[in-house]
Amino acid sequence: MSTTTRTSPASGVGVLDKASIILSLIEQQPTRLSELVRRSGLSRPTVYRLAVAMERLDLLARDGRGWFAPGPRLERLSVEGQFDRMVHTAAGLLTELRERTSFAARLHRLHKGVHVCVASSTDPATGEEALPLATARPVNAGPIGQVLLAWGNAEEIYERLHGARFTAQQLALVRRRGWAHGPDDAAPGHVALAVPVWNRNGRVVAALVLSGRRSRLSGAPDRLLRAQLIDAAAQLGMESPERP
């Protein structure tokens, strides 16, 4: 059995092909430097130079043992790809939710201090989206922001609460109930019911939302409506991206 996994160059650019060999080994599992040298067939100085350079670019990282592992940039790319699949799945699910509940259904995610609509049901009469995709609002107001922030760590919550229109006590209530309800900051004159979408690692990666006019959704949402939304969020969670 060969002691190396070196492959033939794929790009014809030597340094890229060598970096690709190192990445292919590390993708399988965290690997120490000596093992990278042995399995790549490259010299130790070459492996060290390339691995450290990729670490500086966040393409690689080191675990607690000092072994090389996929870096945050690669992990983010993986998560984005999985999130795209979840958004694709959401399209049909949002349509079903609208048909069952008669409320507009949307999916929002957190991005750099705002929540962004990444999927939206369409009006069966007009074919128009309930809310235009990429509509963004500050995360410091409304039930969508509450759901996206409530399960963050203490430092994240503290930072986001500065200038927010809700309090730490309100976020604690959202965590206990598992949902948030109130004026829809993305759709004036509407009220929103939002629940978290959990990934398989136990992290909230999105908010699933039902929205309707105040006259229809102003009171506390009934148990059946909440259950339908929570069940739909659980279905999306099966497609949601894992984070380390």
Side-chain angles (χ1 to χ4, degrees):
M1 180 176 176
S2 173
T3 60
T4 72
T5 58
R6 186 172 184 173
T7 59
S8 299
S11 71
V13 180
V15 68
L16 292 181
D17 291 331
K18 292 172 184 176
S20 178
I21 291 171
I22 293 171
L23 283 173
S24 67
L25 294 172
I26 290 171
E27 282 173 349
Q28 300 169 24
Q29 61 185 20
T31 307
R32 59 190 173 191
L33 179 64
S34 60
E35 187 69 7
L36 284 176
V37 172
R38 184 181 71 83
R39 296 182 62 194
S40 69
L42 302 172
S43 70
R44 185 182 182 91
T46 296
V47 172
Y48 180 77
R49 175 172 56 85
L50 289 175
V52 170
M54 287 189 283
E55 182 183 16
R56 290 176 183 151
L57 294 172
D58 283 341
L59 294 172
L60 298 183
R62 300 199 210 195
D63 64 14
R65 299 166 294 183
W67 292 17
F68 288 100
R73 286 179 68 179
L74 296 179
E75 290 161 355
R76 286 195 295 269
L77 288 172
S78 175
V79 166
E80 289 303 318
Q82 294 177 57
F83 199 94
D84 287 343
R85 291 196 293 274
M86 186 179 75
V87 170
H88 178 74
T89 300
L93 189 144
L94 295 180
T95 298
E96 292 177 9
L97 267 178
R98 184 174 187 122
E99 291 174 351
R100 290 202 307 266
T101 67
S102 76
F103 291 111
R106 309 194 308 258
L107 184 70
H108 288 246
R109 69 176 300 189
L110 181 63
H111 180 71
K112 296 182 179 179
V114 300
H115 61 78
V116 182
C117 177
V118 294
S120 180
S121 63
T122 57
D123 187 324
T126 65
E128 294 181 356
E129 295 168 339
L131 187 73
L133 296 183
T135 298
R137 295 290 184 272
V139 76
N140 60 2
I144 301 169
Q146 292 175 31
V147 161
L148 290 172
L149 294 182
W151 286 272
N153 61 47
E155 291 80 7
E156 291 172 337
I157 292 175
Y158 175 80
E159 181 180 350
R160 298 298 187 189
L161 280 176
H162 181 70
R165 299 178 189 174
F166 44 77
T167 65
Q169 287 74 19
Q170 287 174 283
L171 294 184
L173 178 60
V174 171
R175 288 193 295 274
R176 288 197 301 272
R177 295 191 307 191
W179 51 273
H181 172 259
D184 187 348
D185 57 309
H190 288 63
V191 172
L193 169 64
V195 301
V197 176
W198 298 86
N199 72 3
R200 286 164 289 179
N201 285 356
R203 289 179 61 96
V204 173
V205 293
L208 188 59
V209 182
L210 290 179
S211 177
R213 294 194 178 278
R214 293 181 187 277
S215 58
R216 299 189 57 217
L217 199 56
S218 59
D222 63 49
R223 183 176 300 177
L224 177 59
L225 189 64
R226 298 198 310 265
Q228 288 178 314
L229 192 59
I230 290 170
D231 287 348
Q235 292 181 48
L236 279 181
M238 298 299 294
E239 301 290 337
S240 63
E242 295 183 27
R243 292 181 184 270

